[in-house]
Amino acid sequence: MQMWPDLIRKSKEGGLDAIESYVFWNAHEPVRREYDFTGNLDLVRFLKTVQEEGLYAVLRIGPYVCDEWNFGGLPVWLHNLPNCQIRTANDVFMNEMKNFTTLIVDMMKKEKLFASQGGPIIIPQIENEYGNVESYYGDAGKAYINWCANFAESLNIGVTWIMCQQKDATASMINTCNGWYCDTFKPSNPNTPKMWTENWTGWFKSWGGLDPLRTAEDVAFPVARSFQYVGRFQNYYMYHGGTNFGRTAASYSTTSYDYDAPLDEYGHLNQPKWAHLKELHETTVFATNESSGCIFGNANDSVDATITFQGKTHTVPAWSVNTQTTLKVKSVNRAEDELQSLQWSQRPEKIHTELLGKGEVMANRLMEQKEAANVIVIIFGT
């Protein structure tokens, strides 16, 4: 809790305009009908801290959150309820989910935290990545996810709900993408915006496993391409991962949830990733009252590309993107087609080999912040 203002401020300085967070059911209701919103679990205080920094919020209520959290973020007491079947069309489970989700929504409404009330929450989420497991539940899974959508809509919060990895989401929901490369993702409903809710900045660490690393260039590359392909929203998962205290981590996950994020486990800047993404955010403003811009992307991982645009030749290296901002409004004593030098480029990087520890950056132990940064500078410096 003490770290929240500093983390949020560093995120804003890095170019973010929204903060996304899960809501952990098992942390807030560890015992049935007994709730805890104190200390680090003070959800209202967290969201108001986000608002005080002038940022938006994305609230992923779930209430299922992810595999890396103990029991997926669901309270263990659900397992002991008679006739309860989890995450399917089961009256016992749906009643408990409805009770908790309504509690959270009512709390947000009371504090006027939804954007429709002037608050910071612009996007809420119901369920999480259910499309990855829906087929195992058959017709009951389809019935359940439709119930989730109808239930969420009935809460009347004045902003649109999203569902991650849910190709069959109802028309009232926005289906979004999670993954390393969602730049070419197309929502199942063409009338909804293209949204990327999880851009994996690294990966979680497993007991006995290697320390996952993802280069700054490889994180930035699909972000720029996503906006090149008319993306409207992109979220880094994680921008700050932090620590899984106590027994909150799943059995295979370590206490550290550093994730090779732009802000490391302790809240320090993870360089060069934080600065590289900050530069990306500063260049991806493509239209103002005075100028408009464009993106050149090259997805070939071995061959550079040369293109001609508005009479000028541009070289786009393999597996890279560069941005161009061209002045459109005439000004006194300025050339008609003045070009502002806002551009960046990237080197090739095969992320899958890096994650397996077979690439150019390898680590079989936790490294100090300065040491890790120096290794990357040595390899990628020009």
Side-chain angles (χ1 to χ4, degrees), residues 143-205:
Y144 166 68
I145 204 63
N146 286 343
W147 172 84
C148 287
N150 292 332
F151 162 58
E153 277 294 293
S154 72
L155 294 171
N156 297 317
I157 60 176
V159 291
T160 303
W161 292 80
I162 61 171
M163 284 183 166
C164 297
Q165 305 287 78
Q166 199 63 47
K167 293 181 179 180
D168 61 349
T170 64
S172 62
M173 302 284 112
I174 298 177
N175 170 42
T176 69
C177 183
N178 294 348
W180 280 296
Y181 305 107
C182 287
D183 44 305
T184 58
F185 164 74
K186 295 181 180 179
S188 49
N189 182 349
N191 296 319
T192 59
K194 173 179 175 176
M195 301 177 67
W196 186 357
T197 33
E198 290 188 14
N199 177 5
W200 302 330
T201 55
W203 200 240
F204 60 86
K205 180 173 170 56

Side-chain angles (χ1 to χ4, degrees), residues 138-310:
D139 292 340
K142 178 64 176 176
Y144 166 68
I145 204 63
N146 286 343
W147 172 84
C148 287
N150 292 332
F151 162 58
E153 277 294 293
S154 72
L155 294 171
N156 297 317
I157 60 176
V159 291
T160 303
W161 292 80
I162 61 171
M163 284 183 166
C164 297
Q165 305 287 78
Q166 199 63 47
K167 293 181 179 180
D168 61 349
T170 64
S172 62
M173 302 284 112
I174 298 177
N175 170 42
T176 69
C177 183
N178 294 348
W180 280 296
Y181 305 107
C182 287
D183 44 305
T184 58
F185 164 74
K186 295 181 180 179
S188 49
N189 182 349
N191 296 319
T192 59
K194 173 179 175 176
M195 301 177 67
W196 186 357
T197 33
E198 290 188 14
N199 177 5
W200 302 330
T201 55
W203 200 240
F204 60 86
K205 180 173 170 56
S206 301
W207 290 107
L210 300 174
D211 295 320
L213 298 173
R214 187 182 182 191
T215 66
E217 292 90 342
D218 197 74
V219 176
F221 174 68
V223 175
R225 279 177 57 86
S226 177
F227 288 106
Q228 180 184 21
Y229 289 115
V230 203
R232 298 304 187 205
F233 173 88
Q234 191 275 156
N235 171 70
Y236 296 106
Y237 186 100
M238 307 293 290
Y239 199 81
H240 168 70
T243 306
N244 294 316
F245 293 103
R247 296 181 178 273
T248 53
S251 59
Y252 55 84
S253 296
T254 62
T255 302
S256 171
Y257 203 69
D258 181 89
Y259 221 86
D260 194 29
L263 297 178
D264 71 12
E265 181 179 4
Y266 309 104
H268 302 144
L269 305 185
N270 178 12
Q271 301 287 23
K273 185 172 285 184
W274 183 89
H276 190 80
L277 295 177
K278 174 180 171 65
E279 183 179 357
L280 166 69
H281 304 149
E282 290 173 346
T283 61
T284 49
V285 178
F286 304 120
T288 67
N289 292 332
E290 294 185 345
S291 66
S292 62
C294 63
I295 299 177
F296 305 138
N298 181 5
N300 192 302
D301 63 7
S302 59
V303 180
D304 294 350
T306 301
I307 63 172
T308 300
F309 179 73
Q310 292 186 343

